[in-house]
């Protein structure tokens, strides 16, 4: 049986979907493909849904059964070998829960990230001191200094995403609560606000504040993140986190509802220009 992983890389997800497409184009059912490998049909399903790593000998046999030519098959195998390499974040496996590993993989592959955050500054925009203060406050359920250092290091390394030449567009809506609730003291909050102001100068970052004065909005049920990808094999996906885990939604009705909510909040929230003014005013208060 193929080797299981705690969370698939995006490359495995894409290639799994391509394998399924090739099988269906060849007119084969999973049961028929399983006979080629002499495995249970469930193994084919797990390969196609990226629940397991792609065993190269299995991939080669399937491509042959699907009628794929030698040159195309060699290209597919090269992609599979690359996709099977551990993501950089797996160096943090000691503190990174499996349900969040997938998030980091999706984050790194997205072309657009839209986030609503009602409580804290999003991780991609946090300062190191702010992140550490949140974690010491119990946001992750642990206060061991070494473990917190590892979590902070992971968060800071994730932020390199915004410095890439092909950085995704990041569009964040935060509730005013995020800036009104003190985290780590005035100095930490002042530095965090300066970090947010710096981020608004990046051409691929849009920041909006949902002010108290604007009243109730449809996103008050909780934080969520919407990912969009340049790869056609990957549909839009929504990530919603709770205290001990998270859910990933890719069904069209669910994604469409979250997208509509995000659009309505963006219309109701302070504009990006007004948000900069608010941040400047708050910095002066601190």
């Amino acid at each position: 049986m193929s080797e299981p992983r705690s969370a698939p890389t995006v490359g495995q997800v894409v290639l799994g979907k391509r394998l399924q497409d090739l099988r269906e184009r060849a007119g084969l059912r999973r049961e028929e493909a399983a006979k080629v490998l002499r495995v249970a049909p469930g193994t084919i399903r797990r390969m196609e849904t990226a629940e397991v790593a792609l065993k190269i000998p299995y991939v080669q046999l399937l491509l042959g059964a699907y009628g794929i030519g030698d040159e195309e098959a060699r290209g597919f195998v090269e992609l599979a070998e690359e996709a099977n390499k551990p993501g950089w974040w797996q160096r943090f496996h000691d503190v990174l829960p499996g349900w969040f590993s997938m998030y980091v993989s999706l984050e790194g592959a997205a072309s657009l990230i839209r986030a609503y955050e009602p409580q804290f500054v999003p991780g991609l925009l946090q300062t190191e001191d702010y992140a550490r203060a949140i974690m010491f406050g119990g946001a992750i359920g642990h206060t061991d200094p070494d473990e917190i250092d590892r979590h902070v290091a992971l968060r800071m390394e994730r932020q390199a995403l915004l410095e890439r030449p092909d950085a995704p567009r990041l569009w964040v809506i935060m509730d005013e609560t995020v800036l009104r609730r003190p985290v780590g003291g005035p100095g930490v909050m002042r530095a965090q606000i300066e970090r947010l102001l710096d981020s608004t100068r990046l051409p691929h970052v849009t920041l909006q504040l949902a002010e108290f004065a604007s009243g109730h909005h449809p996103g008050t049920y909780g934080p969520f993140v919407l990912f969009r990808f340049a790869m056609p094999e990957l549909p839009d996906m929504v990530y919603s986190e709770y205290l001990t885990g998270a859910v990933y939604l890719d069904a069209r009705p669910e994604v469409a509802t979250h997208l509509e909510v995000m659009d309505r909040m963006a219309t109701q929230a302070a504009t990006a220009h007004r948000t900069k003014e608010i941040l400047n005013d708050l910095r002066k208060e601190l």
Side-chain angles (χ1 to χ4, degrees), residues 215-230:
H216 174 79
H217 60 75
T220 51
Y221 298 99
F224 65 92
V225 180
L226 193 148
F227 295 108
R228 179 162 290 171
F229 308 92

Side-chain angles (χ1 to χ4, degrees), residues 90-232:
Q90 294 186 20
R91 292 187 287 104
F92 295 89
H93 65 89
D94 54 323
V95 295
L96 185 61
W99 52 264
F100 194 66
S101 295
M102 184 62 178
Y103 179 95
V104 181
S105 182
L106 294 173
E107 183 179 69
S111 59
L112 170 65
I113 303 171
R114 297 185 67 178
Y116 165 61
E117 180 52 70
Q119 302 295 339
F120 302 108
V121 172
L124 288 178
L125 301 178
Q126 291 178 6
T127 66
E128 185 172 336
D129 288 340
Y130 182 94
R132 182 169 280 105
I134 287 176
M135 293 174 187
F136 267 117
I140 59 171
H142 303 280
T143 55
D144 177 77
D146 292 337
E147 187 174 347
I148 285 177
D149 284 344
R150 292 283 287 159
H151 276 283
V152 172
L154 168 62
R155 189 160 298 180
M156 295 302 103
E157 194 157 343
R158 282 172 51 209
Q159 294 182 2
L161 173 71
L162 298 179
E163 300 172 3
R164 292 185 340 199
D166 61 341
R169 183 185 178 196
L170 177 65
W171 186 354
V172 173
I173 299 175
M174 298 188 308
D175 268 348
E176 187 174 343
T177 304
V178 173
L179 302 178
R180 295 297 182 183
R181 176 180 288 115
V183 173
V188 172
M189 288 301 296
R190 184 183 303 110
Q192 180 59 71
I193 290 174
E194 290 173 353
R195 168 77 171 88
L196 291 173
L197 282 166
D198 288 342
S199 72
T200 63
R201 299 183 183 98
L202 298 173
H204 53 282
V205 174
T206 300
L207 185 60
Q208 291 184 263
L209 193 69
E211 299 178 87
F212 293 147
S214 65
H216 174 79
H217 60 75
T220 51
Y221 298 99
F224 65 92
V225 180
L226 193 148
F227 295 108
R228 179 162 290 171
F229 308 92
M231 294 165 283

Side-chain angles (χ1 to χ4, degrees), residues 4-149:
R5 289 181 181 270
S6 59
T9 65
V10 166
Q12 289 170 340
V13 174
V14 170
L15 292 180
K17 290 182 179 293
R18 287 185 183 175
L19 270 181
Q20 179 178 349
D21 183 59
L22 291 172
R23 174 180 59 77
E24 292 173 348
R25 289 185 182 183
L28 295 178
R29 294 177 292 110
R30 281 178 177 158
E31 291 77 7
E32 294 170 308
K35 289 180 180 178
V36 174
L37 303 182
R38 298 182 180 180
V39 296
T43 298
I44 301 298
R45 178 188 60 77
R46 287 191 290 273
M47 291 176 67
E48 293 177 349
T49 57
E51 294 177 30
V52 293
L54 296 171
K55 261 191 173 180
I56 301 305
Y58 280 8
V59 169
Q60 291 171 321
L61 287 171
L62 289 176
L63 293 175
Y66 300 160
I68 304 304
D70 291 344
E71 184 175 350
E72 185 178 351
R74 280 195 297 271
F76 194 104
V77 167
E78 288 176 2
L79 291 174
E81 289 174 337
E82 184 67 26
N84 283 339
K85 292 179 181 178
W88 64 264
W89 59 89
Q90 294 186 20
R91 292 187 287 104
F92 295 89
H93 65 89
D94 54 323
V95 295
L96 185 61
W99 52 264
F100 194 66
S101 295
M102 184 62 178
Y103 179 95
V104 181
S105 182
L106 294 173
E107 183 179 69
S111 59
L112 170 65
I113 303 171
R114 297 185 67 178
Y116 165 61
E117 180 52 70
Q119 302 295 339
F120 302 108
V121 172
L124 288 178
L125 301 178
Q126 291 178 6
T127 66
E128 185 172 336
D129 288 340
Y130 182 94
R132 182 169 280 105
I134 287 176
M135 293 174 187
F136 267 117
I140 59 171
H142 303 280
T143 55
D144 177 77
D146 292 337
E147 187 174 347
I148 285 177
D149 284 344

